[in-house]
Amino acid sequence: MREGSGPAVGATIPAANARAAPQRCAPKLVNRRRLGLRRPGRRKSYGRMTARVGLIGLGNFAQRNIIPGIVRARDVELAAIYDQSPNAVRAVAETLPPGAVCSSATELIQRRDLDLIYVATPSIAHAELVEAIIGAGRHVICEKPFATNYQEAARLASLAKTAGVVNAIDHEMRYSAIYRGIRDRVQEGYLGNVVMSALTFSSDYAVKPKYPATYYWSFGSLRDHTGGLLRQSISHFIDLYLFMFGGIQPHGGYCATMVKAKPELVESISSTGERVLSAGPLRAVDADDAIALAGRLTNGAPASITATWSAPVPTGTRWMIQGDEGMLVYEGNETGGLWGDALRGARIGKTISDLQLPQEIFPDTYPTGPKYMSALVGAEIEDVVRVIGGGSDGMFATFDSECEVWKIIEAWDK
Ligand SMILES: NC(=O)c1ccc[n+]([C@@H]2O[C@H](COP(=O)([O-])OP(=O)(O)OC[C@H]3O[C@@H](n4cnc5c(N)ncnc54)[C@H](O)[C@@H]3O)[C@@H](O)[C@H]2O)c1
């Protein structure tokens, strides 16, 4: 699998897809001079220096991270929006020109002035929207979990390949200096031969009322909303195993629902700014909230993920990676527990110390939580736009790599 390797603009499309031919809908990108791209004889026809993004789904993640990410990304602008909820549209629309608001997803997808469409709805709506976007010959980024199962994801990946559109999944942690740093060390041989990798992750995502109902219930606790720890959260870490180590093959594991029922949320907000829990009857939970998963890396080394998101005292992310010539250890300790500390390590015979990391793509944002996450999303969007403009070696997750993630999820979730 090659990551981030969607075809360049102008790739040949089979006759069956002539309606979606890239010549007609070709992204008219991008500041090619700044990006160092050359396409002799074609540059004039792009006619514009900025990539125009359409966004479908304007909920929590879009408002907190995707839109600020688009604003931060260079040579990218938010040009069209749609959400089925008028409230969500209102919350975003006032910062945009009136022409940006579309009255349906179809209207947005059929617009001819967009270079890229970002789908930020819950997974349940991905298949229909992404299929329509591919059918219109548009390049696409989709939120994770991609669709609702492997089969759906594989069908969309195959459609995207046939249509020749650049396709990406939002696994923004790939753009963090920490994970790029670990990947570089693994590839450079700092560890020698990797002999084991262990990840633990603990958060309060599924039990704290501070999160909106969509998190506390749908994503947190309900399987038919593609909810649960494995799909919603560990999918990011499975992707990181692919990104940093080239793969992980499941070898047994166990997913449990430890909090089997919990209070409903009521609308009001407490004086401390938290949502209030109902004193009424508890509602049943059916998605996993605690897991212990075993696997092996491509060289046969054991690898594990142990995680919970119903921890009263969350401790965040810890990676311990051992090789026969060195070791790496990383602990995420900011509020969400995903980043914040230094990457430490040692080569054989040396003492453990902080290691130099690659430069953050937006150095001013590290490591202040949501702002940092939106910067990672912005970096990812820039990278997708660069590949749409003809660049190579995108670092982003693709529909194909996400099919691999789904395969692993389904193998572990027996
Ligand atoms: N990459 C990450 O780190 C990360 C983090 C959190 C959430 N997410 C993912 O982002 C997605 C959205 O999450 P969220 O927290 O913003 O959810 P949300 O419920 O807050 O927002 C979703 C929005 O999509 C809209 N919507 C639903 N179906 C639609 C449709 N068919 N057409 C148009 N609009 C539709 C809803 O009205 C809502 O405004 C989910 O897939 C979630 O797993 C990703």
Side-chain angles (χ1 to χ4, degrees), residues 59-61 83-84 120-122 143-144 170 172 214-215 232 236:
N60 285 297
F61 194 70
D83 193 294
Q84 66 187 18
T121 65
E143 267 309 330
K144 47 54 56 178
D170 175 32
E172 70 280 344
T214 43
Y215 288 73
Q232 285 291 333
H236 280 307

Side-chain angles (χ1 to χ4, degrees), residues 223-234:
R223 281 185 73 92
D224 65 357
H225 287 249
T226 329
L229 174 60
L230 181 59
R231 287 165 176 70
Q232 285 291 333
S233 196
I234 299 307

Side-chain angles (χ1 to χ4, degrees), residues 179 182-183 186 190-191 194-199 241 244-245 297 318-323 326-330 343-346:
Y179 293 115
I182 297 177
R183 185 177 80 149
V186 170
Y190 178 88
L191 299 159
V194 175
V195 297
M196 78 97 184
S197 168
L199 163 67
Y241 263 114
M244 298 190 301
F245 297 98
L297 303 181
R318 291 192 174 134
W319 288 86
M320 220 257 274
I321 305 159
Q322 287 282 358
M327 63 88 67
L328 294 171
V329 61
Y330 177 66
L343 178 65
R344 283 190 282 276

Side-chain angles (χ1 to χ4, degrees), residues 72-155:
R72 182 171 279 272
R74 290 154 290 205
D75 300 329
V76 177
E77 73 176 84
L78 183 57
I81 54 166
Y82 173 70
D83 193 294
Q84 66 187 18
S85 149
N87 283 344
V89 173
R90 256 192 304 280
V92 173
E94 60 186 27
T95 59
L96 294 171
V101 178
C102 299
S103 58
S104 67
T106 307
E107 182 191 322
L108 187 147
I109 292 165
Q110 294 305 327
R111 275 175 70 146
R112 284 307 182 210
D113 61 338
L114 302 178
D115 301 302
L116 171 67
I117 299 178
Y118 196 131
V119 177
T121 65
S123 306
I124 248 157
H126 289 173
E128 193 182 336
L129 290 167
V130 170
E131 184 167 355
I133 291 165
I134 295 169
R138 287 286 179 263
H139 305 301
V140 56
I141 303 181
C142 186
E143 267 309 330
K144 47 54 56 178
F146 180 38
T148 58
N149 55 46
Y150 169 75
Q151 221 183 347
E152 242 177 40
R155 195 174 63 81

